């Protein structure tokens, strides 16, 4: 493909990546991720003993001679903009951090594709997976949490099997919704399944990817001789000194559509997936956790066959590359067999695990996103911390990239790459990805000012959104048509309470006015529809005319508070807490505070709903009041516009005066039966 008009056989089996979003160690967004990759930055964190102890590490473990204080840490993984997704404070605190981060990343990925997250294309599917987490394990073994919100609710808010359904539910996506689990190859398997679903017509758009946040806390690990973890906190794929990987966290989501549909609808095509394949080693390996050569080779050859290409057409391979002696050797043998000899300089090879560690269920998404960014920037990023590439590479068609360099073009063929992911248990995945074709230049839109609307939930977020868009327009200069920007902002964003707009005729003017808006200065130019937008009205924006397209723009700047994470570790010693109340009233207040995840008695000045209460929590709180304190409370009490403090007094009065709610037993019985 060299133009927008792809050949028919390309359209029939090709899938476009129209949007993507991710967060990885050292990178809260994909712009930073790319800068780190390009510059050869190792984003693995090393921790001090003080930092580890502050996060609850066992002092005895830290004294172990083989303890390695390193991790690929995902910053701010405990934060979540719960209100945006309709979760109460109590629900958000119980919700696994993986669910929180994945929901926000799915939102951003849709925005990157130019679609409003609550107005995505019909029949949008979701294919994602996650890793085991400390939070989920702690939640599942916490009887107090189950008593507070119910065992079923605990499972729904923490179990990996609900990762996909929560996205479908909160974003209103009605295509297939599947949580995928194939260990380390989970997210690339999710991409394969999404591609197949699109080609079979089961959905018209799909979100695919994965998340891995084992813990939001700083922590290291104990290195064992012969184990998979590195003895020095560094991962060196395909290096003679490679001795293991480093655990890491991350999240990545891609938005996929059939290429034909993406081109017809003016989507921002970032790359094209030409073919995918999945195999399993079966019993053809030395052990369950060991990789196998034959089926890794088969996954590669089958994916390139599905793409209608020879494997030798590849210019780059993003390997699974864990930095383990057995894994790297087998992967190199499998890839060498699949790609065959090359007469030229060989096929470039790399592994992102050297930069961010092993992101487990998100590893494949991290690799695929890295490869797409390299295709977009036409630059091969280095594998870092490698000083002595494996001798076996000398007889291989593969050449390890250790310094950033230009990705050269070639006559008659686009840039092509393969991405491999391998899971413990033997599930091998390979994806063939191609650079996006250059879009045909279009006549400039008719001159004249256009309205660029912005919105956010808070004033600081609105200012940040304006600043980010100003920077993007300044960097892009004339590369972005202002009508495309306006079209994307009007149709590809959710309208929120705090609003602003600018009126501009070109990108430079828009950038200047947005920068002023970010500093709190409203421009003098006004527009009737812009003013209606400011008032919070539902605006029917007029057609911009001409051939407008969606474009990739900065996404919503999340700014949620910290909801922490449950832990199995010992909590740091705290000063004894003196209760502010005594007797029955103190017991009732304690149950209310615990059920609503309040910080203390000072929060009892709110109403039940102001404190984040909902009907489900009310049922369980009423049940605990009955079971633990012998008080039958009518559910209607929680609906009254009174403070929690007044509600506590009335509950105590009910106990003392013998009030009861005869319908409560039936309501609780019905709920428990459904559970």
């Amino acid at each position: 493909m060299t133009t927008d008009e792809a050949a028919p056989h390309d359209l029939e089996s090709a899938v476009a990546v129209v949007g993507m979003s991710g967060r990885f160690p050292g990178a809260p967004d994909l712009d930073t991720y790319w800068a780190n990759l390009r510059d050869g930055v190792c984003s693995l964190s090393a921790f001090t003993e003080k930092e580890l102890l502050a996060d609850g590490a066992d002092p005895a473990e830290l004294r172990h001679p083989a303890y390695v204080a390193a991790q690929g840490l995902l910053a701010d993984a405990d934060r979540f903009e719960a209100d945006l997704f309709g979760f109460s404070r109590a629900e958000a605190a119980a919700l696994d951090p993986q669910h929180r981060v994945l929901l926000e990343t799915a939102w951003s990925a849709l925005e990157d594709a130019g679609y409003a997250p609550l107005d995505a294309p019909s029949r949008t599917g979701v294919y994602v997976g996650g890793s085991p987490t400390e939070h989920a394990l702690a939640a599942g073994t916490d009887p107090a949490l189950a008593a507070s919100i119910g065992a079923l609710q605990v499972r729904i808010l923490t179990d990996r099997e609900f990762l996909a359904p929560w996205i479908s539910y909160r974003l209103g996506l009605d295509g297939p919704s599947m949580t995928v689990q194939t260990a380390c190859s989970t997210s690339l398997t999710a991409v394969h399944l999404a591609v197949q679903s699109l080609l079979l017509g089961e959905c018209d758009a799909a979100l695919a990817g994965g998340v891995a946040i084992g813990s939001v806390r700083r922590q290291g690990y104990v290195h064992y001789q012969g184990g998979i973890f590195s003895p020095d906190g560094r991962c060196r794929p395909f290096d003679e000194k490679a001795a293991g990987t480093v655990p890491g966290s991350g999240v990545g989501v891609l938005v996929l559509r059939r290429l034909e549909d993406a081109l017809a609808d003016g989507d921002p095509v970032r790359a094209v997936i030409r073919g995918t394949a999945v195999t399993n080693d079966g019993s053809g390996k030395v052990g369950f956790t060991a990789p196998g050569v034959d089926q890794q080779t088969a996954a590669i050859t089958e994916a390139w066959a599905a793409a209608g290409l020879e494997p030798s057409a590849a210019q780059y391979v993003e390997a699974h590359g864990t930095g383990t002696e057995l894994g790297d050797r087998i992967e190199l043998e499998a890839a060498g067999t699949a790609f065959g000899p090359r007469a030229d300089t060989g096929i470039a090879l790399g592994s992102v695990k050297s930069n961010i560690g092993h992101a487990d269920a998100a590893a494949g998404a991290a690799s695929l996103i890295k490869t797409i960014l390299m295709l977009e920037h036409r630059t091969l990023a280095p594998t870092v911390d490698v000083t002595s590439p494996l001798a076996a590479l000398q007889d291989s068609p593969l050449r390890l990239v250790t310094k950033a360099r230009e990705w050269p073009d070639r006559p008659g063929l686009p840039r092509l790459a393969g991405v491999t992911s391998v899971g413990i248990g033997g599930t091998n995945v390979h994806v063939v990805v191609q650079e996006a074709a250059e879009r045909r230049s279009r006549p400039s839109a008719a001159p004249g000012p256009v309205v660029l609307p912005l919105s956010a939930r808070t004033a600081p977020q609105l200012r940040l959104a304006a600043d980010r868009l100003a920077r993007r327009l300044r960097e892009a200069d004339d590369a972005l048509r202002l009508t495309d920007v306006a079209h994307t902002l009007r149709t590809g964003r959710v309208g929120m309470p705090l609003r602003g707009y600018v009126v501009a005729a070109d990108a430079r003017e828009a950038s200047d006015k947005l920068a002023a808006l970010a500093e709190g200065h409203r421009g003098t130019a006004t527009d009737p529809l812009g003013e209606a937008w400011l008032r919070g009205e539902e605006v029917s924006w007029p057609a911009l005319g001409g051939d407008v397209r969606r474009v990739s723009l900065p996404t919503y700047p999340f700014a949620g508070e910290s909801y922490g994470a449950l832990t199995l570790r010992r909590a740091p010693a705290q000063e004894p807490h003196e209760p502010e109340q005594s007797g029955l009233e103190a017991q009732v207040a304690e149950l209310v505070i615990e059920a609503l995840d309040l910080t203390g008695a000072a929060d009892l000045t709110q109403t039940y709903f102001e404190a984040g209460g909902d009907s489900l929590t009310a049922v369980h709180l009423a049940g605990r009041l009955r079971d633990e304190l012998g008080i039958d409370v009518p559910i209607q009490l929680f609906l009254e516009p009174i403070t929690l403090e007044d509600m506590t007094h009335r509950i105590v009065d009910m106990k003392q005066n013998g009030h009861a709610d005869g319908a409560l037993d039936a309501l609780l019985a019905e709920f428990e039966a459904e559970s």
Side-chain angles (χ1 to χ4, degrees):
M1 290 184 300
T2 56
T3 70
D4 285 352
E5 303 300 325
H9 67 273
D10 288 331
L11 294 180
E12 289 174 2
S13 60
V15 168
V17 178
V18 299
M20 56 188 193
S21 179
R23 305 181 199 176
F24 302 101
D29 53 55
L30 294 189
D31 287 341
T32 310
Y33 186 48
W34 169 244
N36 290 343
L37 294 171
R38 178 198 62 210
D39 298 340
V41 175
C42 176
S43 298
L44 298 172
S45 299
F47 309 119
T48 66
E49 182 177 342
K50 183 178 180 181
E51 289 173 329
L52 293 167
L53 290 172
D55 274 10
D58 183 352
E61 186 179 44
L62 299 186
R63 291 193 294 269
H64 194 290
Y67 187 83
V68 181
Q71 179 192 19
L73 182 70
L74 189 65
D76 296 328
D78 58 330
R79 305 184 71 85
F80 182 50
E81 198 151 335
D83 291 348
L84 181 62
F85 293 93
F87 289 96
S88 69
R89 293 191 78 257
E91 288 173 327
L95 190 66
D96 193 294
Q98 283 194 157
H99 287 72
R100 305 173 196 160
V101 171
L102 189 61
L103 277 164
E104 292 186 344
T105 306
W107 179 290
S108 297
L110 282 168
E111 285 194 332
D112 184 65
Y115 287 97
L118 301 181
D119 191 24
S122 61
R123 301 202 317 148
T124 294
V126 181
Y127 300 82
V128 295
S131 298
T133 71
E134 181 186 21
H135 178 97
L137 184 57
T141 56
D142 184 353
L145 182 62
S148 173
I149 66 173
L152 175 62
Q153 189 76 334
V154 171
R155 183 184 169 205
I156 288 172
L157 293 170
T158 62
D159 199 306
R160 285 183 289 172
E161 70 178 295
F162 296 106
L163 285 167
W166 271 123
I167 294 173
S168 298
Y169 177 61
R170 291 303 187 189
L171 300 187
L173 310 179
D174 55 7
S177 188
M178 301 182 186
T179 300
V180 181
Q181 294 303 149
T182 62
C184 320
S185 57
T186 288
S187 53
L188 210 61
T189 302
V191 170
H192 166 78
L193 292 174
V195 167
Q196 295 302 309
S197 182
L198 285 163
L199 296 180
L200 289 171
E202 295 174 340
C203 60
D204 295 325
L207 302 183
V211 60
I213 304 176
S215 174
V216 303
R217 296 170 175 80
R218 293 166 289 194
Q219 61 184 24
Y221 57 89
V222 176
H223 165 72
Y224 294 101
Q225 191 66 33
I228 66 169
F229 292 129
S230 165
D232 64 355
R234 288 293 181 266
C235 180
R236 298 178 173 85
F238 307 107
D239 190 288
E240 292 287 357
K241 299 188 299 296
T245 193
V246 179
S249 294
V251 57
V253 175
L254 300 98
V255 183
L256 310 177
R257 298 195 72 202
R258 289 181 290 272
L259 179 59
E260 185 175 18
D261 294 342
L263 294 174
D265 293 345
D267 292 343
V269 178
R270 302 192 66 165
V272 177
I273 294 176
R274 290 290 302 271
T276 68
V278 172
T279 64
N280 190 277
D281 295 324
S283 60
K285 52 187 179 178
V286 298
F288 181 77
T289 61
V293 174
D294 292 345
Q295 290 305 311
Q296 281 194 40
T297 302
I300 295 171
T301 56
E302 288 175 18
W304 285 86
L309 297 164
E310 292 295 326
S312 58
Q315 289 175 293
Y316 176 81
V317 175
E318 175 66 19
H320 190 64
T322 56
T324 56
E325 183 180 359
L326 179 63
D328 285 2
R329 179 176 60 79
I330 287 179
E331 187 171 8
L332 195 57
E333 183 179 349
T337 301
F339 288 105
R342 282 281 293 268
D344 56 14
T345 57
I347 301 172
L349 173 71
S351 171
V352 75
K353 291 177 181 62
S354 67
N355 304 87
I356 64 171
H358 192 345
D360 198 55
S367 296
L368 180 56
I369 289 172
K370 169 193 172 181
T371 305
I372 292 171
L373 291 170
M374 290 196 302
L375 286 166
E376 287 184 324
H377 293 276
R378 301 177 179 181
T379 300
L380 296 171
T383 298
V384 302
D385 286 327
V386 172
T387 56
S388 305
L390 286 172
L393 283 164
Q394 297 175 7
D395 300 320
S396 166
L398 303 165
R399 300 289 180 266
L400 192 63
V401 181
T402 56
K403 292 183 180 179
R405 66 174 189 261
E406 180 185 358
W407 188 329
D409 61 0
R410 51 188 171 174
L413 275 177
R415 292 174 178 84
L416 288 162
V419 182
T420 291
S421 197
V422 178
I424 287 179
T427 299
N428 312 295
V429 193
H430 191 79
V431 172
V432 179
V433 60
Q434 173 181 304
E435 67 179 330
E438 290 187 17
R439 307 296 289 267
R440 283 178 174 171
S441 59
R442 296 167 292 159
S444 298
V450 295
V451 177
L452 305 181
L454 296 174
S455 70
R457 295 185 63 250
T458 67
Q461 286 170 291
L462 181 63
R463 291 193 294 270
L464 183 56
D467 180 67
R468 288 180 177 178
L469 183 56
R471 292 174 185 271
R472 177 63 60 85
L473 291 176
R474 192 175 304 120
E475 293 166 359
D477 200 13
D478 293 331
L480 283 176
R481 295 201 328 168
L482 205 58
T483 49
D484 291 342
V485 174
H487 173 66
T488 303
L489 294 175
R490 295 175 183 185
T491 64
R493 297 295 184 267
V494 174
M496 298 186 188
L498 273 293
R499 299 184 173 190
Y501 76 95
V502 300
V503 182
D506 57 49
R508 173 56 62 178
E509 181 185 6
S511 177
D512 291 342
K513 289 186 174 181
L514 286 164
L517 181 63
E519 295 175 358
H521 307 302
R522 185 182 172 186
T524 55
T526 61
D527 179 270
L529 289 179
E531 293 301 306
W533 172 257
L534 281 185
R535 292 191 297 269
E537 297 177 16
E538 199 68 36
V539 177
S540 296
W541 300 102
L544 289 164
D547 179 18
V548 292
R549 296 172 178 166
R550 298 178 183 85
V551 289
S552 178
L553 299 175
T555 58
Y556 182 69
F558 294 104
E561 63 181 285
S562 172
Y563 286 92
L566 299 177
T567 179
L568 296 168
R569 301 180 182 187
R570 295 194 307 270
Q574 297 179 344
E575 293 296 323
H577 175 68
E578 292 295 331
E580 298 178 13
Q581 298 165 297
S582 60
L584 180 61
E585 188 168 331
Q587 292 177 289
V588 172
E590 184 179 349
L591 285 180
V592 172
I593 290 169
E594 183 179 330
L596 295 172
D597 192 32
L598 305 179
T599 57
D603 289 340
L604 296 177
T605 56
Q606 307 172 81
T607 68
Y608 178 74
F609 286 108
E610 287 173 343
D614 54 25
S615 58
L616 187 61
T617 304
V619 170
H620 285 286
L621 180 54
R624 291 191 68 188
L625 288 166
R626 182 195 63 181
D627 296 341
E628 298 177 30
L629 301 179
I631 310 174
D632 284 326
V633 179
I635 295 298
Q636 290 80 0
L637 177 62
F638 298 100
L639 309 179
E640 295 186 19
I642 59 175
T643 67
L644 293 172
E645 187 175 20
D646 288 340
M647 186 179 75
T648 299
H649 294 322
R650 290 176 61 173
I651 291 172
V652 172
D653 288 341
M654 289 176 190
K655 174 68 172 178
Q656 294 171 345
N657 298 326
H659 288 294
D661 178 14
L664 179 60
D665 285 340
L667 182 60
L668 289 173
E670 178 184 347
F671 179 80
E672 289 166 2
E674 292 176 355
S675 300

